[in-house]
Amino acid sequence: MNALLFNVTLGIYFLATVTYLAYLVKPRDSLGRTSHWLISIGFLVHCAFTVDRYVEAGHTPITNLHEALSFFGLALVGTFIAFERRYKVFIIGSFVTPLAFVLMVVSSLFPSAITPLNPTLMSKWLAVHTTLAFLGYASFALAFGAGIMYLIQEHFLKSRKLGAMYQKLPSLEMLDEINYRCLTFGFPLLTFAIISGAIWAETAWGTYWSWDPKETWSLITWFVYAALLHGRLTTGWRGKRAAILAIIGFCILLFTFLGVNLLMPGLHSYK
Amino acid sequence: MNIIVVGLSHKTAAVEIREKVAFAPTQMEKPLRALVELPDITEAVIVSTCNRVELYATTNDIAGGMARLKRFLADYHGLSLETLEQHLYAHHGEAAIRHVFRVASSLDSMVVGEPQILGQIKTAYGYAAEFKSSGIILNRFLHKAFSVAKRVRTETRIASSAVSVAFAAVELAKKIFGDLSDKTVMLIGAGEMCELAAKHFLNSGVRGVMVTNRTFERAVKLAEEFDGKAVNFEELFEHLHKADIILSSTGAPHFIIGPKDVEEVIRRRRNKPMFFIDIAVPRDIDPKVNDVANVYLYTVDDLNGIVQSNLEQRSKEAEKAEAIVDQEIGQFFKWLSSLEVTPTIVALRSKFDEIRRAELEKTLAGWKDLSPDGQKRLEALTNAMMNKLLHPPTTLLKKAGQGGRTGLYVDALRQLFDLQTEAPAEEDLGELEE
């Protein structure tokens, strides 16, 4: 049942990726709407998968890479749908849906068996800490997508190459605003994720901060986004620079999420 | 029944001629009624716009009908037919259908893809419907033309790009700023193109306009016209940071705005983007300005290039549109032909059957000792003969109907066999596939 739900989600995300990429080539509104419905249905199935797994495992399904990647995908798609409804720009999906699909594919490569949780970690903080962290990741992933779109559109406008893709991409100002909104949404989430993690660490291990690689890199990520937010608010970093920083920030974040776990053993390693 | 079109357009007649044959929209009743009272003309629609005047009608006599329409156009406006005739075109059959589909789809317009023509034809049809000058055929025909135009609009990008410099500038601004309602335009210098672009920006909802000129009085005058604010030319750089979109067309022989100035201004704006449009020749703005972050500089040549490529794209899209028109013509023509073919076949069959029955009755009345079985055989024999005889002409007619060359056969059959066909009632007509 659980595997079936996962595969259905994977299948629908694949279809949505195809239609969103087709939308990039052919700007039919009907194609955009179809894609939007597909990804929404995929999201619901994905929710069902996650809930089903939660019930089976007895804790938030985020304790191995299979679950964590899937959870990231869920957070990303959910955040994306909210933004798409708000800004009515289907084309963001052409950049975000493939990312969600790839997350699911990578997730499917890892063993899906439920890993028993270390009893010291069994706590309501698991759900709080990880949900906050992954919603924050999802916002930054959207900012990353908007950043890439900004760089492409800005290149078209500067070089005066106004092709079919230029026509379809939204205005620079809107992309910059999406970037900013994602940042103001994601930064507090990341902040609270780190704080809740520290509290949880204190209850589980008796210390707030142990300079575990994940903690260190999370802090680095936090500083990058803090710098970007600060630059935006005080000295007017916007446009191209903000887009580039959002992209760099997300690369560091991906390293924090995956690289640290795979390369540096520590308390946060997925088993 | 045949559809015929007679008219003139910007392609065949100069405005001096077109204005003489135009019909006033407030007085459409009289000409429409006069048209349908003409002999041979059964239905009529008048399309009159500033670029074309066209009469659409149905007739039984193609040559006579077209001659009457031409005569009507000349007489109604008090012109001599000799002078008018050289500007007129006349189409019938497939060519007439193609012409109207193309006009409605804006493929025959001065600016291909302009959207007004469809509305104008709808209005023209509205008058014809109001004064009952259009009937079954033209109703169907024009509704078909509207649906073809709609298909062209949704399936091709014929009307989706700017084809004037001013519009191209507005579209670029929208791609940079999104919403223009909180943006300010600054005009540096004056010039026809500059003012036209400013008007387009105002129509697109920009918040305000600033005007500066070496002659302050001219700036004040222009600012009044746009309900904007005049700025002293010497204080240009104190105000430049308040402008998002800058239209420049001074007569200065050298650059008046350089990258250093713009860097300074952008800093004051805290990196909010700026869009410079340099319309002046020689140029007012150093091309290096485009290298400053968050600044976009377009010259009049860039804008012309955009317009040119949009026009090229339109002509590419127009080819797709022509293919759509081709498809739809086939469909409509099939329907139109079936209007004549079906009643002719029905009449032919009933004529034959009538003769068969009459002769059979006569024979049976004088043949008393024929067995009931023999009667049946006789009945079957005559029936089979009739069907065999009618089979080839029936298939030929149906096939001709699909190819659209029915007139000749239908006329020949009617005369050869002295057939009387009635015009079909609307509910008997086959459904026209949309």
Side-chain angles (χ1 to χ4, degrees), chain A residues 150 153-154 156-158 160 162 166-169 171-173 232-240, chain B residues 171-172 174-178 183 270-273 290-298 302 306:
Chain A
Y150 188 98
Q153 186 70 311
E154 133 108 24
F156 286 146
L157 279 163
K158 277 274 190 196
R160 303 168 188 133
L162 311 178
Y166 154 82
Q167 300 285 351
K168 270 168 269 165
L169 285 169
S171 67
L172 291 179
E173 188 150 301
R232 274 206 94 109
L233 293 175
T234 58
T235 51
W237 284 4
R238 55 162 74 224
K240 193 173 179 180
Chain B
E171 290 209 336
L172 273 169
K174 283 184 181 161
K175 278 291 181 188
I176 296 169
F177 299 112
K183 300 297 179 283
R270 299 186 14 145
N271 292 320
K272 269 172 31 194
N290 194 46
D291 300 333
V292 179
N294 298 315
V295 174
Y296 305 89
L297 167 65
Y298 280 72
D302 297 327
I306 294 169

Side-chain angles (χ1 to χ4, degrees), chain A residues 187-269:
Chain A
F187 186 72
L189 286 169
L190 185 65
T191 309
F192 287 120
I194 293 174
I195 294 172
S196 66
I199 298 171
W200 183 24
E202 208 276 329
T203 57
W205 301 317
T207 165
Y208 284 107
W209 198 266
S210 43
W211 294 107
D212 153 86
K214 184 88 164 192
E215 290 171 359
T216 313
W217 278 94
S218 295
L219 201 61
I220 294 171
T221 314
W222 187 86
F223 272 118
V224 171
Y225 283 113
L228 175 52
L229 196 59
H230 176 80
R232 274 206 94 109
L233 293 175
T234 58
T235 51
W237 284 4
R238 55 162 74 224
K240 193 173 179 180
R241 189 181 308 191
I244 291 172
L245 281 171
I247 292 168
I248 294 175
F250 187 68
C251 292
I252 296 174
L253 185 147
L254 269 188
F255 182 74
T256 308
F257 172 50
L258 289 178
V260 170
N261 286 104
L262 296 172
L263 304 174
M264 306 176 185
L267 297 167
H268 277 81
S269 298

Side-chain angles (χ1 to χ4, degrees), chain B residues 35-197:
Chain B
L35 270 175
V36 285
E37 272 164 23
L38 291 175
D40 297 329
I41 301 291
T42 41
E43 302 178 25
V45 171
I46 299 174
V47 174
S48 180
T49 75
C50 50
N51 279 332
R52 66 181 69 243
V53 176
E54 295 183 337
L55 308 177
Y56 307 155
T58 56
T59 178
N60 277 318
D61 172 9
I62 294 172
M66 292 201 297
R68 282 188 203 287
L69 291 187
K70 286 180 182 174
R71 167 66 59 193
F72 170 82
L73 212 49
D75 289 353
Y76 191 85
H77 297 288
L79 302 164
S80 81
L81 186 55
E82 288 73 45
T83 53
L84 190 59
E85 180 125 40
Q86 54 178 319
H87 301 290
L88 291 176
Y89 43 78
H91 303 294
H92 66 92
E94 194 180 311
I97 297 170
R98 178 184 305 277
H99 178 81
V100 176
F101 284 4
R102 290 185 77 248
V103 169
S105 310
S106 192
L107 291 168
D108 198 46
S109 300
M110 197 180 265
V111 178
V112 170
E114 57 89 10
Q116 283 93 359
I117 184 67
L118 181 59
Q120 288 164 336
I121 298 183
K122 281 187 175 165
T123 314
Y125 170 67
Y127 290 124
E130 186 183 342
F131 303 119
K132 306 213 164 38
S133 71
S134 72
I136 304 168
I137 295 178
L138 287 190
N139 286 351
R140 282 274 177 115
F141 179 43
L142 286 166
H143 279 123
K144 190 68 193 172
F146 301 153
S147 83
V148 173
K150 197 176 163 217
R151 238 192 102 188
V152 165
R153 192 150 296 262
T154 50
E155 291 180 27
T156 73
R157 284 185 295 163
I158 196 159
S160 65
S161 48
V163 287
S164 77
V165 166
F167 256 119
V170 172
E171 290 209 336
L172 273 169
K174 283 184 181 161
K175 278 291 181 188
I176 296 169
F177 299 112
D179 186 12
L180 297 182
S181 65
D182 57 347
K183 300 297 179 283
T184 302
V185 175
M186 182 178 229
L187 267 80
I188 305 175
E192 201 184 333
M193 187 106 89
C194 210
E195 287 166 36
L196 186 67

Side-chain angles (χ1 to χ4, degrees), chain A residues 24 26 63 68 70 76 92-93 115 125 141 160 225 247 251 269:
Chain A
L24 203 58
K26 275 222 175 295
T63 52
S70 159
L76 177 58
I92 308 174
T115 30
W125 287 109
R160 303 168 188 133
Y225 283 113
I247 292 168
C251 292
S269 298

